[in-house]
């Protein structure tokens, strides 16, 4: 997996695949959007979808549709702010930096496995997401006995990840409707 | 003589108060206040709040001064981290330079650059409730 250059656009656009991955197979060259959203008063923030399954070689594009806030898409790994590794051992980490409204950031994933990521200013509000690339049955980083003294994830983040099983079954896990 | 001293003191206090109010009534406010969008990655205008200014030394609590698109002050906002609402933490003597308060909103915010943890927004509106529309979008 190699992170693409940061692509910052100030107008909307792009393709939104709202269909579950199991029923709709996107072409490898199509980018799939993950939208960063928030309530008008900033009380709730989330990624949509929360969980997604893609094929190796596909590209995900995070786009900020929250008019009043900035968000990031940041992989959990020691190389970025000393966090536990929650991406495949052979995968390259990514960090979008702060995306202002309508900004976008793309990553192409080539390494099969489970990838957990978060939004830097909103991790403690539970804004996390999970990507399954290929047929990964479990995350290889789950075999690591401990976080090795790295800053652990807050409880609210841990409870917000959709299960790998649900992602593999449905292809797409959306946030709950409120 | 005593009455003259009192009158002079009141006049001085009024002049000082007027000078303080004039400093923040219009954007950009004077003193140590800076545009929040120049300090952290946030939009220049935040829907629901407006254009925000803060003295960085007062973070996270503020006060944040919020202005409409014409540069008129609409509210003063304090941002209090939820984890700091405990017996061991106090926020004393926070400045409140904005003048008369018409009504107050208090609500949870998940966080944003500058205050990157869940916190409460305490919004002291200096305009009537229907004036909130001036910063709605």
């Amino acid at each position: 997996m190699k992170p693409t250059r940061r692509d910052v656009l100030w107008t909307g656009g792009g393709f939104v695949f709202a269909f579950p991955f199991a029923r709709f197979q996107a072409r490898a060259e199509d980018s799939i959007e993950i939208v960063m959203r928030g309530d008008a008063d900033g009380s709730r923030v989330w990624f949509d979808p929360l969980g997604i399954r893609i094929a190796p070689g596909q590209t995900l594009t995070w786009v900020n549709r929250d008019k009043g806030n900035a968000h990031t898409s940041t992989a959990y790994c020691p190389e970025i702010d000393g966090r536990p590794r929650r991406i495949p051992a052979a995968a390259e980490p990514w960090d979008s930096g702060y995306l202002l409204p309508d900004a976008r950031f793309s990553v192409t994933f080539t390494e099969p496995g489970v990838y957990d990521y978060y939004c830097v200013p909103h991790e403690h509000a539970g804004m996390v997401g999970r990507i399954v690339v290929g047929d990964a049955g479990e995350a290889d980083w789950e075999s690591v006995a401990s976080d090795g003294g790295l800053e652990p994830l807050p409880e609210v983040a841990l409870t917000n990840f959709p299960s790998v099983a649900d992602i593999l079954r449905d292809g797409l896990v959306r946030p709950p409707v409120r | 003589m005593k009455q003259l001293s009192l009158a002079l003191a009141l006049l001085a206090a009024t002049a000082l108060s007027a000078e303080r109010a004039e400093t923040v009534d219009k954007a950009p406010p004077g003193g140590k206040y800076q545009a929040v969008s120049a300090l952290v990655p946030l939009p220049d205008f935040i829907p629901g709040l407006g254009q925000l200014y803060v003295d960085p030394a007062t973070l996270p609590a503020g006060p944040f001064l919020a202005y409409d698109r014409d540069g008129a002050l609409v509210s003063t906002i304090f941002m209090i981290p939820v984890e700091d609402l405990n017996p061991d933490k106090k926020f004393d003597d926070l400045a409140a330079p904005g003048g008369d308060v018409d009504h107050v909103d208090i609500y949870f915010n998940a966080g944003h650059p500058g205050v990157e943890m869940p916190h409460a927004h305490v919004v002291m509106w200096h305009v009537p409730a229907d004036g909130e529309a001036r910063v709605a979008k």
Side-chain angles (χ1 to χ4, degrees):
Chain A
M1 184 268 297
K2 56 179 179 180
T4 64
R5 66 181 184 278
R6 178 174 169 172
D7 183 25
V8 180
L9 299 175
W10 294 102
T11 56
F15 297 97
V16 178
F17 290 89
F19 305 102
F21 186 86
R23 290 192 281 145
F24 182 82
Q25 184 78 28
R27 293 176 302 174
E29 60 269 27
D30 293 331
S31 174
I32 301 172
E33 270 192 6
I34 297 177
V35 181
M36 301 155 155
R37 293 198 186 278
D39 284 345
D41 60 7
S43 56
R44 292 186 180 89
V45 287
W46 62 92
F47 292 109
D48 186 7
L50 276 177
I52 189 168
R53 179 187 177 195
I54 60 174
Q58 284 193 285
T59 298
L60 293 175
T61 296
W62 284 268
V63 57
N64 184 2
R65 299 284 187 223
D66 186 350
K67 294 186 186 303
N69 216 329
H71 297 281
T72 80
S73 170
T74 307
Y76 277 111
C77 61
E79 298 92 317
I80 302 175
D81 295 330
R83 307 306 303 278
R85 174 170 293 276
R86 295 175 75 99
I87 62 175
E92 285 188 40
W94 73 92
D95 184 7
S96 68
Y98 289 102
L99 300 179
L100 286 174
D102 293 327
R104 311 165 76 89
F105 177 80
S106 297
V107 175
T108 300
F109 293 84
T110 56
E111 189 69 30
V114 177
Y115 296 72
D116 286 351
Y117 66 95
Y118 66 110
C119 173
V120 168
H122 300 119
E123 183 192 20
H124 290 268
M127 188 169 178
V128 297
R130 173 167 283 173
I131 304 160
V132 177
V133 179
D135 295 321
E138 60 182 59
D140 63 4
W141 42 262
E142 284 182 342
S143 63
V144 176
S146 73
D147 292 337
L150 300 168
E151 183 186 342
L153 278 68
E155 191 63 29
V156 65
L158 289 169
T159 57
N160 271 7
F161 288 114
S163 72
V164 173
D166 285 350
I167 295 173
L168 287 172
R169 182 189 66 232
D170 299 330
L172 203 73
V173 176
R174 303 289 302 277
V177 177
R178 294 189 178 86
Chain B
M1 190 61 178
K2 200 183 268 187
Q3 282 180 335
L4 180 61
S5 298
L6 179 60
L8 285 172
L10 281 171
L11 188 64
T14 304
L16 278 173
S17 174
E19 182 182 344
R20 260 200 308 273
E22 284 176 7
T23 302
V24 304
D25 261 4
K26 286 289 185 186
K32 298 178 182 177
Y33 290 98
Q34 300 181 42
V36 168
S37 59
L39 296 170
V40 295
L42 278 174
D44 291 333
F45 187 95
I46 299 175
L49 294 179
Q51 298 176 310
L52 300 185
Y53 290 80
V54 72
D55 172 1
T58 66
L59 289 172
F64 295 76
L65 302 176
Y67 298 85
D68 67 14
R69 292 190 183 275
D70 295 325
L73 181 71
V74 295
S75 75
T76 298
I77 305 162
F78 298 108
M79 301 189 184
I80 308 300
V82 171
E83 66 180 12
D84 287 341
L85 292 173
N86 63 66
D88 299 320
K89 182 82 177 186
K90 292 181 188 233
F91 292 88
D92 286 337
D93 302 323
L94 297 176
D100 292 339
V101 177
D102 181 87
H103 63 285
V104 181
D105 291 338
I106 302 175
Y107 55 89
F108 176 87
N109 185 281
H112 47 70
V115 189
E116 294 187 0
M117 70 280 286
H119 57 278
H121 277 189
V122 181
V123 184
M124 305 196 305
W125 292 96
H126 304 298
V127 298
D130 59 6
E132 295 182 25
R134 288 158 56 178
V135 291
K137 52 185 172 180

